[in-house]
């Protein structure tokens, strides 16, 4: 390639860079879709990042269910409180159940930042099933805050 061709090619590149007002019309027009999370009728009373596990009785081991924000949601009309947890990126539900009076948080063996409890009916993927769940937080302080909020929610639901 000779010098004249190189200069012409460089000049063409400079022209392309100098026009930042490039605009393309979309080929397909998309409409806004309203997404319902079914959290519209509830107020969040607790929210914190955690990792959730479920106990697999067949494999006799803990299996990770997801990492994300665990929330305690209080219904605006009836006042019942439920625990809801969604996975971070996909927002898929990994825990969804009301906090009942028979749920007791017990410390997980060997960790001051995790709790274990039994759920009679965890509604994940529209199927209610009995589960043994464990939740782990980033530090012991966050785990203590969760326990306090969980026990307060249990007492609130017991009085309803």
């Amino acid at each position: 390639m000779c010098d004249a061709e190189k200069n012409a090619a460089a000049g063409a590149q400079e022209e392309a860079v100098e026009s930042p007002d490039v605009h393309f019309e979309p080929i397909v027009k998309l409409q806004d879709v309203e997404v319902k999370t079914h959290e519209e009728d509830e107020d969040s009373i607790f929210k914190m990042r955690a990792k959730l596990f479920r106990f697999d009785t067949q494999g006799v081991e803990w299996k990770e269910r997801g990492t994300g924000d665990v929330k305690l949601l209080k219904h605006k009309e009836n006042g019942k409180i439920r625990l809801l947890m969604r996975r971070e990126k996909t927002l898929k539900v990994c825990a969804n159940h009301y906090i009942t009076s028979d749920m007791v948080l017990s410390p997980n063996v060997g960790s001051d930042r995790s709790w274990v409890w039994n759920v009679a009916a965890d509604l994940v993927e529209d199927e209610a099933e009995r589960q043994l769940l464990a939740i782990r937080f980033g530090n012991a302080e966050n785990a203590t805050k969760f326990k306090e909020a969980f026990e307060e929610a249990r007492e609130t639901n017991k009085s309803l």
Side-chain angles (χ1 to χ4, degrees):
M1 197 183 239
C2 69
D3 289 334
E5 289 176 346
K6 288 181 183 178
N7 290 339
Q13 286 178 350
E14 287 177 16
E15 287 178 25
V17 174
E18 290 177 13
S19 58
D21 293 338
V22 177
H23 178 73
F24 296 101
E25 287 296 321
I27 297 171
V28 178
K29 300 266 186 196
L30 298 176
Q31 297 176 352
D32 289 340
V33 177
E34 186 177 328
V35 178
K36 287 197 165 210
T37 62
H38 301 289
E39 298 174 36
E40 291 83 13
D41 297 334
E42 297 170 314
D43 293 323
S44 179
I45 57 175
F46 180 85
K47 180 179 174 182
M48 192 168 292
R49 189 170 189 277
K51 187 177 278 193
L52 188 73
F53 300 88
R54 69 172 178 83
F55 190 73
D56 182 21
T57 54
Q58 294 173 345
V60 192
E61 63 181 343
W62 288 99
K63 295 207 173 191
E64 184 177 336
R65 196 176 251 190
T67 302
D69 287 333
V70 61
K71 298 180 193 175
L72 296 180
L73 301 170
K74 184 174 187 173
H75 199 274
K76 291 177 182 174
E77 292 177 19
N78 63 19
K80 289 199 89 132
I81 300 172
R82 70 177 173 129
L83 182 140
L84 176 72
M85 185 168 173
R86 294 180 184 272
R87 294 185 183 123
E88 265 178 346
K89 294 179 181 158
T90 62
L91 298 179
K92 186 176 178 184
V93 175
C94 57
N96 182 19
H97 58 270
Y98 283 107
I99 298 175
T100 59
S101 59
D102 62 336
M103 289 183 189
V104 177
L105 285 181
S106 56
N108 198 355
V109 178
S111 178
D112 61 344
R113 56 190 185 120
S114 63
W115 301 104
V116 178
W117 74 99
N118 277 306
V119 179
D122 189 29
L123 298 166
V124 176
E125 298 175 5
D126 298 329
E127 216 175 282
E129 50 183 307
R130 187 171 194 82
Q131 293 286 337
L132 177 62
L133 298 176
I135 193 163
R136 188 175 68 210
F137 293 92
N139 56 40
E141 181 183 332
N142 289 350
T144 305
K145 288 178 185 176
F146 174 75
K147 181 176 174 126
E148 291 167 359
F150 189 94
E151 290 178 347
E152 186 178 317
R154 186 179 65 206
E155 294 303 317
T156 302
N157 283 350
K158 189 187 289 188
S159 66
L160 294 176

